[in-house]
Amino acid sequence: MPRNIIDVTDLTVEEIDQLISTAEDILANPAKYQDACAHKQLATLFFEPSTRTRLSFESAMLALGGSVLGFSEASSSSTSKGETVGDTVHTVSCYADIIAMRHPKEGAPFAAAQFSEVPIINAGDGGHNHPTQTLTDLLTIHREKGRLDGFTIGFCGDLKFGRTVHSLVNALSRYENVKFVLISPAELKLPRYVKEEALKKRGISYKQTESLEAVMPDLDILYMTRVQRERFFNEEDYLRLKDSYILTPEKLETAKADLSILHPLPRVNEISVAVDKDPRAAYWKQVKNGKFIRMALILKLLDIHV
Ligand code: CP
């Protein structure tokens, strides 16, 4: 059976630490890895739009000396003729050595993996999970803070539909002494199942609030998120909630000097571009890190040792 990464907990904490260490080595010695995946092929099957995830996967495989194939929208695949996702993935697994798949339906990569002969990586499934964004976030936090434990992190915005939040809460709940502050409008709170599985089951206390200003001085990391228009059932609710939080330089005046600001991107309006110049803004570094942690993950799943 191939090794799949559907959920971030498919990796142990030790394996995540090892991936971070490999990503750091790739960053320091890129030439060492440039032919590691020669003659290997990555397929990117994206049934939902993406800029960072798809292109960082492709860039990662190319930097490892491999090649890429795939599609960036469902309409250019035979699913538009009625083929099942299972048959599509079975087909692609005959051509590629590893598959990264994004789909708007929660659980689709898990279901598809039952039909694959090669490793499947969940590149985002609906409003559920996004494990490789979480690996990107963990590498970024490690590079910014030098550790993955003993800090207070605030998640702000759409915690209901934000799949990157669900995966990162799950991942960080396995590290020691991480304090969680959940900042959202009442309608966009973190789903109960994430709280139960990741926090309550592990006995981790958390704080919920609607006010970013009230908790700003307490935070070591601020994880901003976009309100996920595509997951709303009606436009009115989206329009009412979309600007609930807009981070500006003024709002950062009460923040710690060593705060790290993360955002999985894309952003719409929730971080003013003026914040980009603030040395605490880490989200463009986060974008870069995504390539290197995905290189490390591809190597691991293909069992290639450099
Ligand atoms: N962070 C992220 O998943 O971005 P894309 O939707 O552009 O891939």
Side-chain angles (χ1 to χ4, degrees):
M1 275 288 283
R3 175 99 191 257
N4 305 308
I5 302 300
I6 305 299
D7 187 290
V8 73
T9 55
D10 291 334
L11 294 161
T12 64
V13 169
E14 291 71 28
E15 285 177 316
I16 288 175
D17 293 346
Q18 188 56 49
L19 287 172
I20 289 172
S21 167
T22 304
E24 289 288 2
D25 193 51
I26 297 169
L27 277 153
N29 308 290
K32 200 171 116 186
Y33 293 87
Q34 66 190 8
D35 298 316
C37 286
H39 313 297
K40 297 287 185 190
Q41 295 189 322
L42 164 80
T44 50
L45 310 187
F46 277 60
F47 296 89
E48 194 182 59
S50 167
T51 297
R52 277 146 292 273
T53 309
R54 185 172 66 83
L55 296 181
S56 65
F57 262 117
E58 295 189 359
S59 176
M61 191 50 150
L62 294 172
L64 291 166
S67 51
V68 297
L69 65 159
F71 52 81
S72 58
E73 52 185 41
S75 62
S76 61
S77 80
S78 284
T79 53
S80 64
K81 301 178 212 163
E83 184 169 54
T84 64
V85 172
D87 280 358
T88 301
V89 166
H90 193 165
T91 301
V92 175
S93 77
C94 298
Y95 307 141
D97 299 288
I98 185 165
I99 296 172
M101 175 183 165
R102 171 172 290 189
H103 200 282
K105 283 215 167 72
E106 291 80 4
F110 172 78
Q114 318 309 312
F115 300 89
S116 179
E117 296 172 13
V118 302
I120 296 269
I121 303 169
N122 177 5
D125 62 326
H128 190 212
N129 281 321
H130 194 345
T132 64
Q133 179 62 48
T134 294
L135 295 176
T136 302
D137 302 339
L138 294 175
L139 174 60
T140 306
I141 293 170
H142 194 266
R143 300 203 96 206
E144 294 298 302
K145 299 288 180 207
R147 63 186 195 281
L148 290 174
D149 53 15
F151 51 69
T152 299
I153 179 166
F155 291 89
C156 179
D158 184 351
L159 311 190
K160 178 180 180 183
F161 296 117
R163 58 193 174 196
T164 68
V165 173
H166 307 163
S167 291
L168 185 55
V169 167
N170 216 344
L172 285 176
S173 69
R174 297 192 291 173
Y175 290 86
E176 292 295 315
N177 196 24
V178 176
K179 295 193 173 73
F180 294 84
V181 183
L182 308 174
I183 310 147
S184 74
E187 295 99 318
L188 298 178
K189 280 185 180 167
L190 191 70
R192 185 179 297 174
Y193 80 89
V194 181
K195 286 184 211 155
E196 292 287 342
E197 286 297 310
L199 302 177
K200 290 186 183 165
K201 208 166 81 180
R202 297 190 172 104
I204 299 169
S205 60
Y206 58 89
K207 179 173 181 172
Q208 288 191 112
T209 176
E210 292 191 27
S211 170
L212 175 58
E213 286 84 347
V215 295
M216 185 71 92
D218 304 333
L219 304 179
D220 300 302
I221 299 166
L222 172 58
Y223 193 93
M224 292 297 295
T225 63
R226 170 179 71 94
V227 175
Q228 306 262 311
R229 180 181 209 154
E230 65 274 31
R231 314 264 179 243
F232 274 73
F233 293 111
N234 73 70
E235 184 74 358
E236 260 175 43
D237 285 348
Y238 169 72
L239 293 173
R240 184 168 50 81
L241 293 167
K242 72 183 176 69
D243 291 330
S244 298
Y245 303 98
I246 301 176
L247 188 65
T248 59
E250 295 69 40
K251 288 195 184 142
L252 284 165
E253 279 169 12
T254 61
K256 290 185 181 173
D258 65 348
L259 174 76
S260 296
I261 306 163
L262 275 68
H263 189 311
L265 304 183
R267 79 172 144 191
V268 180
N269 204 27
E270 59 280 355
I271 300 183
S272 149
V273 289
V275 175
D276 293 7
K277 291 196 286 285
D278 190 305
R280 295 170 289 188
Y283 35 91
W284 291 111
K285 291 187 254 184
Q286 200 178 349
V287 171
K288 272 196 183 170
N289 292 337
K291 171 179 172 178
F292 299 99
I293 199 75
R294 289 183 174 100
M295 288 172 78
L297 183 64
I298 290 168
L299 290 171
K300 178 173 181 59
L301 295 181
L302 292 180
D303 201 21
I304 292 171
H305 302 270
V306 177

